[in-house]
Amino acid sequence: MLWRSLRLPCLLPTDARLLAPRSLASLPSQARRASALSIKNPSIADILSIPAQNEAVNITVSGSVRTVRNQKHRCFLELGDGSTSRSLQAILLPTQAEGLTTGAFVQVSGSWGSSPDGKKQTREIKAENVTIIGDADAKDYPIQKKYHSAEYLRTLPHLRLRTPFNALLARLRSESDYVLANFFRSQGFVRLQPPLITSSDCEGAGEVFTVSANSAASASSQDRAAVNLKSEEEFFNTPKYLTVSSQLHLEAFVHEHQKVWAFSPTFRAEKSDTSRHVSEFWMLEAEFRTESLEEVMTLVENMIQYLATHVCSPSLMLELSYAQGGNKSNSQECTNSLDEIKRRRDQILAPLWPRITYQDAIERLKAAVESEAVNFQYVPSWELGLQLEHEKYLAATIGKGSPVFVTNYPANLKPFYMLPLLGGKTNGPTNKQTVACFDLLMPKVCEIVGGSLREHRLSNLTEAMLSHGLNLGSSSYNSPTMRIDDGSQQTSKGNLDWYLDLRRFGSVPHGGFGLGFDRLLGYLAGVSNIKDVVPWPRYYGRCDC
């Protein structure tokens, strides 16, 4: 089969630097120097890539002031612009440094040449002209060159983006998006833009945000009760929600397109304040025609390895280590060891990630408890599912640092749309039905991907939806979606008539998965808290900016 043997060719140089699109790092030395000087507004990354020359050259650079050190006869200015974690040093006269403060945006023109002391930076700008484009009040500017905890920076999401490490994460996100798009394009997938406002809860967990018009949202609870708002007064006629997954809408395209994918925001109204959860995050989801769960898992494995190969270059890993070290983050906030970042990349690139069944996982966990190799807070149980501590143990002991697929979970632990395994009952202790699905467990962060084959048979899907307590509406059993006189669809909360139509009219076997992009990005970058990976974190009790 295609996916079983898929090992993809490189579309990008594996040692490409993670810089701006006009990066000069891959050019020969003379070409880099000529190109950088010919750019009207070169970035700091461009300038730092210019090889050392005997003669100085004139340049103009713009950036934000990271630090200003004033001495009697000269001043040292450090500039940053997000194109690299490293600063560019400029030497100024005291008169040129007047009014310069941390956080200000300036333009500096002068000669770029060798630094006399060469202690921190081998080259520097001897400023001839300094222009303050945007000043900053040093007394009020909240980000200074000192240690700021991750918790403090989360209260300033609009300003923490200026820190070297967060600027690096922004470039990493951008490059990852580009690489993933290349991967799916090379495999013939069609990229789609699914809606963010939906009529149903895909996962059936009830953790959804309800969409309301301003008039309804601004009304107090007493006012709403007084006027007794009815469904016909809803903006969309019936209640609608922010999407928790684009899967169901992607499935609608599989009939016409063999392979589709999307990369878009997802929302969960989960009142959780852990390092693994936020209320708004990005999901990469894909659906394609297949009857093999192995093909879906192999696609996931190839995709993540492709991303790690092309994004986690030696220069990026070095810059991550440098930026985190300069940020002085403690071990609970990030992993600033270059060796650890390299180890994570190497383990992702290890061939043939382990694949075990849910039943095997439960048995291994119970055996570990019986042998006193580990003491869990929650006793491993077939009925209750895998807890976070169980997933961490499986990832550490079975994968030994590599990701681990756990397959064939009990049907009652998974959403309604998953395809039951052929053969009916499982050999597990409860003899209950299992489904063709998997979770991918990554060390430290645990589950980052969930996938399955989808139930494509109308009667079986209808039965599964009823068993999960979903409100299907009167038209969901044997006939197409009913319409009322004004042409609108007759629906009620949770109504999935349209989803059943996909099975009612020309269904096809298919499967897919969803990847928690921010968790994966945090793992690759060595950041343990997802709130420090998402640029604008929204979570229970906080939605700043």
Side-chain angles (χ1 to χ4, degrees), residues 93-145:
L93 296 174
T95 55
Q96 294 174 319
E98 292 179 359
L100 292 181
T101 58
T102 300
F105 196 88
V106 301
Q107 183 180 76
V108 179
S109 299
S111 59
W112 174 250
S114 300
S115 175
D117 51 35
K119 292 181 179 179
K120 184 175 182 180
Q121 188 166 299
T122 59
R123 287 158 293 164
E124 61 190 13
I125 297 178
K126 292 181 175 62
E128 298 174 0
N129 184 58
V130 179
T131 303
I132 299 177
I133 298 175
D135 57 6
D137 190 334
K139 295 181 180 179
D140 297 331
Y141 188 61
I143 299 179
Q144 301 290 330
K145 189 179 180 181

Side-chain angles (χ1 to χ4, degrees), residues 159-322:
L159 294 178
R160 75 170 182 174
L161 302 175
R162 303 182 182 184
T163 64
F165 185 63
N166 282 275
L168 172 58
L169 287 180
R171 287 185 284 124
L172 180 59
R173 294 181 74 92
S174 175
E175 191 71 10
S176 297
D177 189 333
Y178 172 76
V179 169
L180 289 168
N182 269 347
F183 171 83
F184 282 104
R185 187 171 186 270
S186 71
Q187 300 306 308
F189 277 74
V190 177
R191 186 170 187 173
L192 305 172
Q193 291 75 40
L196 299 184
I197 300 177
T198 71
S199 59
S200 59
D201 174 7
C202 173
E203 300 296 325
E207 298 169 340
V208 294
F209 289 100
T210 301
V211 176
S212 297
N214 289 336
S215 57
S218 60
S220 65
S221 57
Q222 294 84 356
D223 293 338
R224 293 174 64 86
V227 300
N228 190 24
L229 294 178
K230 299 180 181 179
S231 61
E232 59 265 27
E233 296 173 309
E234 293 280 353
F235 184 88
F236 293 108
N237 196 41
T238 57
K240 305 302 174 187
Y241 317 95
L242 292 181
T243 182
V244 298
S245 172
S246 299
Q247 175 202 317
L248 304 189
H249 293 89
L250 288 183
E251 288 188 61
F253 286 90
V254 173
H255 182 280
E256 196 68 17
H257 303 282
Q258 182 180 358
K259 296 176 282 189
V260 297
W261 75 291
F263 186 37
S264 58
T266 301
F267 307 88
R268 302 283 173 92
E270 184 176 3
K271 295 181 179 180
S272 177
D273 191 24
T274 72
S275 63
R276 302 170 63 249
H277 294 91
V278 285
S279 296
E280 179 185 356
F281 54 97
W282 281 72
M283 285 278 286
L284 187 157
E285 299 178 85
E287 297 288 325
F288 63 99
R289 300 176 199 163
T290 182
E291 296 184 68
S292 168
L293 188 65
E294 291 289 326
E295 290 183 352
V296 183
M297 290 188 288
T298 301
L299 175 63
V300 170
E301 183 173 346
N302 288 331
M303 175 194 67
I304 295 178
Q305 289 183 338
Y306 184 87
L307 177 66
T309 298
H310 294 298
V311 170
C312 296
S313 63
S315 59
L316 167 69
M317 292 186 287
L318 185 62
E319 192 174 359
L320 280 169
S321 179
Y322 173 83

Side-chain angles (χ1 to χ4, degrees), residues 291-440:
E291 296 184 68
S292 168
L293 188 65
E294 291 289 326
E295 290 183 352
V296 183
M297 290 188 288
T298 301
L299 175 63
V300 170
E301 183 173 346
N302 288 331
M303 175 194 67
I304 295 178
Q305 289 183 338
Y306 184 87
L307 177 66
T309 298
H310 294 298
V311 170
C312 296
S313 63
S315 59
L316 167 69
M317 292 186 287
L318 185 62
E319 192 174 359
L320 280 169
S321 179
Y322 173 83
Q324 291 181 357
N327 199 40
K328 298 181 180 178
S329 299
N330 60 46
S331 59
Q332 293 182 344
E333 294 167 349
C334 68
T335 301
N336 55 20
S337 167
L338 179 60
D339 291 338
E340 172 63 15
I341 296 174
K342 288 181 178 178
R343 185 186 64 82
R344 292 185 177 188
R345 175 186 182 272
D346 293 342
Q347 290 172 334
I348 286 178
L349 298 181
L352 302 178
W353 295 348
R355 302 179 182 186
I356 65 170
T357 64
Y358 175 85
Q359 178 181 342
D360 187 21
I362 293 295
E363 291 175 354
R364 291 180 184 232
L365 293 170
K366 289 182 176 180
V369 172
E370 293 175 358
S371 65
E372 299 183 351
V374 65
N375 183 26
F376 294 121
Q377 179 181 357
Y378 299 96
V379 178
S381 167
W382 174 276
E383 295 80 6
L384 299 180
L386 299 178
Q387 305 298 317
L388 178 61
E389 60 181 344
H390 302 152
E391 293 179 344
K392 287 184 175 181
Y393 178 82
L394 293 171
T397 58
I398 297 177
K400 301 186 184 303
S402 296
V404 178
F405 288 103
V406 180
T407 66
N408 304 348
Y409 283 71
N412 63 299
L413 299 180
K414 291 297 182 179
F416 66 91
Y417 50 73
M418 295 187 177
L419 182 70
L421 281 172
L422 297 178
K425 307 299 183 180
T426 180
N427 294 324
T430 58
N431 198 34
K432 291 186 176 179
Q433 178 70 62
T434 55
V435 287
C437 69
F438 67 86
D439 284 348
L440 179 63

Side-chain angles (χ1 to χ4, degrees), residues 420-537:
L421 281 172
L422 297 178
K425 307 299 183 180
T426 180
N427 294 324
T430 58
N431 198 34
K432 291 186 176 179
Q433 178 70 62
T434 55
V435 287
C437 69
F438 67 86
D439 284 348
L440 179 63
L441 309 182
M442 192 78 76
K444 306 295 184 181
V445 294
C446 295
E447 181 197 351
I448 63 166
V449 182
S452 73
L453 297 181
R454 316 309 192 189
E455 177 57 83
H456 58 280
R457 300 162 297 182
L458 176 61
S459 60
N460 298 69
L461 180 60
T462 302
E463 181 182 351
M465 294 169 74
L466 290 173
S467 68
H468 280 76
L470 297 180
N471 186 346
L472 307 186
S474 60
S475 63
S476 298
Y477 298 99
N478 298 306
S479 61
T481 302
M482 294 178 63
R483 309 286 166 177
I484 53 181
D485 293 339
D486 62 3
S488 62
Q489 182 175 341
Q490 182 178 357
T491 60
S492 58
K493 184 178 180 180
N495 192 352
L496 288 169
D497 276 340
W498 69 272
Y499 186 65
L500 288 172
D501 278 352
L502 304 181
R503 274 62 175 175
R504 192 173 283 118
F505 307 115
S507 181
V508 59
H510 61 283
F513 66 88
L515 162 70
F517 175 73
D518 302 289
R519 286 186 183 179
L520 176 59
L521 196 68
Y523 181 76
L524 294 175
V527 182
S528 60
N529 197 315
I530 192 174
K531 300 180 183 68
D532 302 323
V533 179
V534 177
W536 306 90

Side-chain angles (χ1 to χ4, degrees), residues 17 22-60 110-114 123:
R17 294 180 63 191
R22 60 173 178 230
S23 170
L24 310 173
S26 61
L27 297 177
S29 298
Q30 293 182 350
R32 286 206 302 270
R33 179 172 180 270
S35 298
L37 297 179
S38 65
I39 295 175
K40 183 177 181 180
N41 297 304
S43 69
I44 289 178
D46 292 331
I47 294 173
L48 292 179
S49 70
I50 301 176
Q53 299 290 327
N54 294 329
E55 73 281 2
V57 294
N58 293 324
I59 63 171
T60 298
S111 59
W112 174 250
S114 300
R123 287 158 293 164

